[in-house]
Amino acid sequence: MIVVAGEALIDLVPSSQSPSGDGPLPALLPRRGGGPYNTALALGRLGSPAAFCSRVSTDTFGEELLRGLRADGVDVSLVQRGTEPTTLAVADISPDGSAGYGFYADGTADRLFTLPAELPAGARAVSFGTCSLVLEPGASAYEALMRRCAQRGIFTALDPNIRAGLIADADAYRARFRSWLPHVTLLKLSEEDADWLAGTQGTAAAVKDWLTAGPAAVVLTRGGDGLSVLTPGGDEIAVPGERVEVADTIGAGDTVNAALLHRLDAHGALSPDALAALSPGAWHDILAFAARAAALTCSRPGAEPPYATELVGPE
């Protein structure tokens, strides 16, 4: 089983874009979201046994979030519940389909996540990332879970998925990010996130430092230009992006997270040693699978990751 730990929230997505500043405001449509939530949903749709570990409101939005997970076969037994409201993220969609977000997260349920006593005995990998590693007090609980999993030899995946507007002290967050790396098996991040995390160091030098700190691989995504993996041994394998008509990019990176984990499992590589031993050919297959999955997500509005039946290519 692959466990995804992190927030579930509601994205408020404009139904249309007004061409001028004097037109009516577009309606905001609620959509299930949150990086970890989307990753768990995508894993379920791809057919991987998956569980979601979070704290979800008992309000109407929270019930809808859980309904979506159950519908795609995701185990929700690790979900904590609370009466506080669901976090809201207001999406601003640019003409190229990219999205920016403003958050309403004060006093919301997912911030109050507490460290679970245990994960299921069959948990072989745990994925972390996004707002859940920023907003306290839950961030410290997720961090403790990451460290505990790593100590027990469980494969850990991290996608920082930076939301700079939520980070009060950038340098403090960068230092905290570096403290996680000895406990991370697979680091995946977008080129933009890598640039932000590198700060004044420079991205290429920073990635080399991150690799020496602990991860067995770093995957960098470059939007429509594809993605690549770098290994501690100096190998770099890249695949191009798949061309589609982009509706928006919401959930594309989360789909990559799920597709990487799903395909790594197919290669028997959900362990630190097996990941480090992957051949260039295996990595090419894994990255190409993730690129196909992300392209399908980008071809439709909102975070709607593909089902396994929509993806061609050998399993």
Side-chain angles (χ1 to χ4, degrees):
M1 174 181 286
I2 300 171
V3 177
V4 184
E7 80 279 354
L9 52 79
I10 292 294
D11 287 327
L12 298 176
V13 181
S15 60
S16 64
Q17 294 292 327
S18 178
S20 65
D22 57 359
L25 292 174
L28 295 175
L29 304 178
R31 296 285 186 263
R32 300 186 299 263
Y37 180 90
N38 296 336
T39 298
L41 197 75
L43 280 165
R45 292 184 177 188
L46 290 173
S48 283
F52 188 54
C53 182
S54 184
R55 190 171 188 273
V56 174
S57 177
T58 55
D59 65 14
T60 300
F61 285 145
E63 291 299 325
E64 175 60 21
L65 287 163
L66 291 187
R67 187 200 65 78
L69 291 170
R70 293 188 183 105
D72 284 313
V74 178
D75 186 330
V76 297
S77 62
L78 291 169
V79 174
Q80 305 162 18
R81 304 302 302 275
T83 58
E84 302 81 14
T86 298
T87 297
L88 303 178
V90 181
D92 179 18
I93 310 299
S94 298
D96 65 357
S98 61
Y101 297 91
F103 292 89
Y104 295 84
D106 288 345
T108 51
D110 56 278
R111 295 187 67 165
L112 301 179
F113 172 81
T114 58
L115 179 66
E118 291 293 341
L119 295 181
R124 294 181 295 117
V126 185
S127 175
F128 299 89
T130 318
C131 309
S132 56
L133 288 170
V134 176
L135 299 174
E136 296 289 6
S140 291
Y142 285 112
E143 180 178 318
L145 179 60
M146 181 194 301
R147 293 173 184 270
R148 189 176 77 187
C149 289
Q151 288 169 358
R152 297 180 180 181
I154 297 174
F155 185 109
T156 55
L158 172 63
D159 175 14
N161 201 7
I162 299 298
R163 303 294 183 231
L166 291 175
I167 299 173
D169 186 333
D171 287 339
Y173 180 85
R174 291 182 181 112
R176 193 174 189 181
F177 162 76
R178 288 190 292 271
S179 78
W180 298 330
L181 296 180
H183 313 286
V184 172
T185 311
L186 173 67
L187 174 63
K188 172 265 173 185
L189 67 174
S190 70
E191 209 168 30
E192 295 81 4
D193 288 347
D195 291 343
W196 189 94
L197 285 162
T200 59
Q201 181 181 10
T203 303
V207 171
K208 289 181 180 178
D209 286 348
W210 299 340
L211 274 167
T212 61
V218 174
V219 171
L220 286 172
T221 63
R222 299 182 173 87
D225 292 329
L227 63 163
S228 61
V229 63
L230 298 94
T231 69
D235 293 329
E236 181 172 2
I237 300 98
V239 301
E242 297 211 355
R243 300 301 173 189
V244 294
E245 184 174 344
V246 176
D248 62 51
T249 62
I250 296 174
D254 311 322
T255 298
V256 169
N257 290 337
L260 290 172
L261 292 168
H262 176 80
R263 200 64 163 186
L264 283 168
D265 195 17
H267 283 271
L270 282 187
S271 73
D273 290 343
L275 184 69
L278 276 175
S279 69
W283 267 120
H284 190 278
D285 172 75
I286 292 160
L287 297 175
F289 182 82
R292 290 198 302 273
L296 281 172
T297 300
C298 290
S299 71
R300 44 209 185 196
E304 287 295 339
Y307 290 89
T309 53
E310 298 179 84
L311 293 166
V312 296
E315 286 289 334

